[in-house]
Amino acid sequence: MELDAALEVLSRMWGRFQMVNYSLLCVPIMFHASFYLSYVFAAKQVEHRCFIPECELEPLLSETRPPWLPESAVHSCLRPAALPAGVAALNASWSCASASFSDQMAACDQWVYPNKHLSIMSEWDMTCGDNWKVTLVGTINNVGRFFGMPVAGLVSDRYGRRTVLLAGLALAGAMGLLRSLATNYVFFVVFEFLDPLCYAGLFSAAFILGMELLPAKRRVLWSAFTHSVYAAGSALLGAVAWALLDWRWTLRAFYGPALLSLSVLWVLPESIRWLASKGRNAEALGIIRRAAHLNHIPADQLNVDDIKLAACGKPSDTEERDDSKTVSQELRATVKSPVLLWRLLNCCFCWLTNMFVYDGLSLNSVAVAGNQYLNFILVCLIEVPAGLATWALMERVGRRAAMCSSLLLAGAACIAFHFLPAGVAWMRVAVYLLGKFGITISYTVIYVLTAELFPTKVRHSLFAVCSTVGRVGSILAPQTPLLAAYLDSLPLILFGSMSIASGVLSFWFPETNNIKLPDTVEEAEQIGRRQKKMAKAPAASGGAGGAGGYDNAVLDVPGSVSVSLPAEQPDRQ
């Protein structure tokens, strides 16, 4: 019995093994979601105004919008100069009147906020000339992830998915708690960089670990489920930040429990497929044996001793077992393949587009209308139905068609936003959410597609490369509001243009629905190719136009050599 057949038998019934381990995998996914966007609230823009000493006693006791202050003075770096009568009014009635101010404006050196502890901006008075420090926080956070992802990928492929997951969670928990103790801006941004550097591979490690424990037809459900869990974690961040209204305690509410969760997550098993690729077959078979025992699978259905793991890269007795050398050789072989190199470059651009548009729409959601916290929660929760739609789309039309259509939908919605009248707020909000709905589907699909395109030994490394390139989009996304100074909808026009371009390029991906995860470069190259005989006689082969297997027609690298490969029919029992 091959490994994929054994995983199929293990997953026919969702038993205790799956319930325990996949429930545990949801924990780091939710923590990653809260870590990922925690800077949105830690460094959020807070309503503020200048403190007027002629009319107020002290900033902490002052109202943000007193009735005597002109509306133009809110969110301003200047304050109206008080007339001498203002001082007399303060002495008489402890308040000023609008007539107490002149038309002249004066600079201020103190500010009034609704809550001094809402963010680092209000706590450290980073307004006016220092406001750039607040916008820089998001960029620093994404730079940390930019450098952290490739490191996490290499460590994962060499030392295991479980190692990255546990070590990343432990280090990130410590970095986050230290960040909550920051006493100045430099202290804060140093740990704002180190935190994502540590947790960058947390979600991808949990995602790939779950993928490699499942047969092909279960992977779509896992992807849709994880992204729904991720959306719930993001929404929980908004709810906690709304309830606490204190950036320090918001960080502690997530990073503290993250450290405590390690005592439970320690029981997670390593990836069976990764263990087999390293020749650690005894450990891989031990996990399968334990899973069969927990799921009460009889020996006549799954005889562990008969499972063959040689195809997953078990080294012979004469081969040198240098893991780092093996990974580097596999990476070189992948890059030398024109087919895989083209798919890698296309994947990188799709990741760049997805993360740029996804993060851009998420970060700009607080400016849509109404309560910032509620808007953030709603924009996060719309990802739950998007995740369910992704499941249905990928199962029925496949990965490629699902990603192409969702990118085109997101692009059309973002560009249509420009042509809607500004006075019809509900229509603009609906189209905005439709764009977020579409990009969420695409973002979910790209995780599955990337994990299915590349060989086991370098799967997480190349996954990390694509995610790292995509991180450039996340680095640029916090700066897109600056474009609104030239045209209000210019950020969305940019989002829409990139989405449409990426949607067109996604036609060149092979269909990977229900295929066996490739373990070697040769297997990865063969994905999507079909025999010439099947192209001539699709009815006789019974596989033309199908969504599952190697027999799907694809647009691939021009000039690539066609290789005959029997269509693989997944076990439907």
Side-chain angles (χ1 to χ4, degrees):
M1 179 180 289
E2 300 292 338
L3 176 59
D4 285 271
L7 293 177
E8 181 70 34
V9 174
L10 284 175
S11 300
R12 286 177 186 170
M13 180 185 68
W14 199 256
R16 211 166 18 151
F17 177 80
Q18 286 84 3
M19 291 183 65
V20 170
N21 290 304
Y22 284 91
S23 296
L24 290 177
L25 285 175
C26 290
V27 175
I29 290 173
M30 292 194 71
F31 279 128
H32 185 276
S34 62
F35 298 167
Y36 182 25
L37 292 175
S38 62
Y39 75 89
V40 173
F41 298 105
K44 72 187 295 286
Q45 298 285 346
V46 179
E47 184 180 30
H48 61 280
R49 67 170 176 85
C50 291
F51 174 68
I52 303 176
E54 295 89 347
C55 299
E56 300 172 289
L57 295 176
E58 62 174 288
L60 293 177
L61 300 177
S62 302
E63 298 179 44
T64 309
R65 294 175 180 265
W68 46 264
L69 187 68
E71 186 67 24
S72 60
V74 181
H75 283 297
S76 175
C77 296
L78 299 174
R79 66 178 181 86
L83 296 170
V87 180
L90 175 62
N91 294 333
S93 60
W94 299 98
S95 65
C96 284
S98 57
S100 303
F101 302 98
S102 68
D103 295 333
Q104 296 181 347
M105 303 298 288
C108 57
D109 53 8
Q110 288 183 290
W111 289 266
V112 176
Y113 308 96
N115 183 339
K116 187 70 172 175
H117 304 291
L118 277 177
S119 77
I120 61 172
M121 172 191 167
S122 57
E123 183 164 331
W124 297 328
D125 288 331
M126 290 189 293
T127 59
C128 303
D130 290 333
N131 194 250
W132 62 271
K133 295 180 179 179
V134 180
T135 60
L136 187 62
V137 170
T139 300
I140 291 174
N141 181 283
N142 283 284
V143 169
R145 288 199 288 267
F146 180 86
F147 288 104
M149 279 303 301
V151 174
L154 291 172
V155 173
S156 173
D157 284 332
R158 184 173 183 183
Y159 298 106
R161 299 18 173 158
R162 179 178 176 272
T163 301
V164 170
L165 193 152
L166 296 178
L169 196 60
L171 292 173
M175 297 298 108
L177 288 177
L178 288 172
R179 182 155 52 103
S180 73
L181 301 174
T183 55
N184 55 62
Y185 180 75
V186 174
F187 187 162
F188 180 88
V189 295
V190 166
F191 286 98
E192 185 67 58
F193 172 80
L194 294 176
D195 180 19
L197 189 69
C198 296
Y199 76 70
L202 194 59
F203 177 83
S204 57
F207 178 79
I208 291 177
L209 177 55
M211 286 274 288
E212 292 181 338
L213 289 173
L214 288 172
K217 67 179 183 180
R218 296 270 188 174
R219 296 199 292 261
V220 176
L221 176 60
W222 172 238
S223 176
F225 179 72
T226 55
H227 282 75
S228 296
V229 171
Y230 196 91
S234 300
L236 180 62
L237 169 66
V240 171
W242 192 3
L244 297 178
L245 298 178
D246 187 314
W247 70 271
R248 294 182 186 273
W249 283 106
T250 299
L251 292 179
R252 293 165 188 166
F254 289 98
Y255 285 94
L259 285 176
L260 296 176
S261 69
L262 290 171
S263 59
V264 179
L265 295 176
W266 198 260
V267 302
L268 278 171
E270 183 54 87
S271 165
I272 297 173
R273 191 177 293 274
W274 179 84
L275 289 171
S277 74
K278 296 297 181 181
R280 295 162 60 176
N281 292 353
E283 296 175 58
L285 293 175
I287 295 174
I288 296 175
R289 187 175 289 107
R290 184 166 69 252
H293 174 73
L294 290 173
N295 289 356
H296 303 291
I297 298 176
D300 59 342
Q301 294 185 24
L302 180 63
N303 190 342
V304 178
D305 295 330
D306 292 339
I307 297 176
K308 299 177 182 179
L309 301 178
C312 296
K314 176 181 177 181
S316 64
D317 295 335
T318 59
E319 288 179 331
E320 183 179 0
R321 300 175 66 174
D322 185 342
D323 289 345
S324 62
K325 185 177 179 181
T326 302
V327 172
S328 63
Q329 288 176 339
E330 197 84 355
L331 282 172
R332 285 196 295 270
T334 302
V335 174
K336 287 181 180 179
S337 167
V339 174
L340 297 186
L341 179 60
W342 162 249
R343 292 175 185 171
L344 178 62
L345 294 175
N346 198 1
C347 241
C348 287
F349 181 74
C350 284
W351 272 89
L352 175 65
T353 299
N354 274 278
M355 300 190 81
F356 179 64
V357 178
Y358 179 89
D359 285 2
L361 291 177
S362 297
L363 294 173
N364 285 284
S365 64
V366 294
V368 176
N371 185 291
Q372 292 183 341
Y373 297 97
L374 182 59
N375 288 340
F376 180 86
I377 292 171
L378 292 177
V379 169
C380 291
L381 289 180
I382 199 172
E383 299 182 30
V384 175
L388 298 176
T390 306
W391 178 23
L393 279 173
M394 282 199 288
E395 286 288 359
R396 295 187 180 184
V397 303
R399 280 65 156 149
R400 183 182 54 185
M403 189 164 70
C404 175
S405 59
S406 59
L407 281 168
L408 295 177
L409 173 64
C414 289
I415 292 178
F417 186 89
H418 170 69
F419 299 98
L420 296 176
V424 188
W426 67 268
M427 187 179 297
R428 285 194 138 200
V429 171
V431 171
Y432 190 95
L433 293 178
L434 183 62
K436 182 65 186 300
F437 181 85
I439 199 64
T440 299
I441 293 176
S442 174
Y443 200 5
T444 308
V445 176
I446 194 65
Y447 266 85
V448 179
L449 187 62
T450 306
E452 293 177 337
L453 285 176
F454 302 112
T456 297
K457 289 182 181 178
V458 293
R459 180 169 297 123
H460 202 162
S461 295
L462 295 181
F463 191 102
V465 168
C466 295
S467 182
T468 301
V469 174
R471 192 60 55 198
V472 176
S474 295
I475 292 172
L476 297 175
Q479 310 303 323
T480 54
L482 299 175
L483 298 174
Y486 303 96
L487 180 64
D488 180 58
S489 55
L490 186 56
L492 275 86
I493 293 175
L494 181 59
F495 296 155
S497 301
M498 289 192 64
S499 296
I500 291 174
S502 185
V504 172
L505 286 174
S506 65
F507 276 114
W508 270 265
F509 283 119
E511 181 53 65
T512 59
N513 189 18
N514 282 331
I515 67 162
K516 169 187 174 291
L517 283 178
D519 292 310
T520 64
V521 171
E522 292 73 19
E523 289 182 8
E525 287 178 327
Q526 291 166 353
I527 296 176
R529 295 171 176 173
R530 63 180 184 176
Q531 296 180 9
K532 295 180 179 179
K533 292 182 180 180
M534 297 177 66
K536 295 178 180 179
S541 64
Y550 293 114
D551 55 331
N552 292 283
V554 297
L555 292 171
D556 217 320
V557 182
S560 60
V561 180
S562 177
V563 178
S564 297
L565 182 71
E568 177 178 320
Q569 299 298 328
D571 188 354
R572 299 290 185 183
Q573 294 181 356

